[in-house]
Amino acid sequence: TNVIDDVNAGPVARYNPFTKVCDFYKLPSPGAKKTVGVTTDKSGNVWVRFAFRSGGGIGVFNPNVALTDQTPLYKEFRKGKGQGNLVSDVVNCMVLDKDDHLWIGTDYGISVVYNASSALLSESYDAGYPVVDNWPLLFEQGVNCIAVD
């Protein structure tokens, strides 16, 4: 279980209240961004949610896998095809489900990163939109909380 929220700009802290362990990571993104949420997928990738005032969107990196210069692999998901394909850069919440899909609630609906553990394996990896009755789920609706059952 990964329970994180309210971390400030600078190093990213991940605290697990069940194990009482806190991990700290240096965010490998360019520029200073305020991190407002963190979760970890089954491959150890760390997903961070950025405050909209510092650019919004989400980022993912794996602190255990580095490029040749020892910089962790890193990718950002933003609004727009080829940029991560989120429905909006205003990300209010994110949660990883049991099938390794990252559900992202925005001020404009829901985006999903299917097979989140694979996001760093491809140079181009965009989120999708869940569709119900030929219409994007919660289209143009603000989503502030998502729960996994």
Side-chain angles (χ1 to χ4, degrees), residues 97-121:
D97 72 13
K98 297 170 187 162
D99 294 322
D100 194 39
H101 304 320
L102 184 72
W103 292 76
I104 304 155
T106 75
D107 67 335
Y108 209 73
I110 293 179
S111 295
V112 181
V113 177
Y114 297 101
N115 301 311
S117 295
S118 301
L120 289 174
L121 301 178

Side-chain angles (χ1 to χ4, degrees), residues 119-143:
L120 289 174
L121 301 178
S122 171
E123 199 169 303
S124 172
Y125 202 91
D126 280 348
Y129 310 116
V131 176
V132 177
D133 295 331
N134 295 320
W135 198 254
L137 182 64
L138 298 174
F139 181 66
E140 296 183 350
Q141 301 294 311
V143 177

Side-chain angles (χ1 to χ4, degrees), residues 8-27:
N8 295 318
V12 176
R14 178 183 171 275
Y15 177 71
N16 185 324
F18 300 104
T19 62
K20 296 185 175 146
V21 172
C22 189
D23 295 317
F24 294 92
Y25 306 103
K26 182 178 182 227
L27 189 62

Side-chain angles (χ1 to χ4, degrees), residues 26-44:
K26 182 178 182 227
L27 189 62
S29 73
K33 293 189 175 192
K34 182 176 180 183
T35 304
V36 293
V38 179
T39 193
T40 307
D41 66 30
K42 68 181 184 180
S43 291

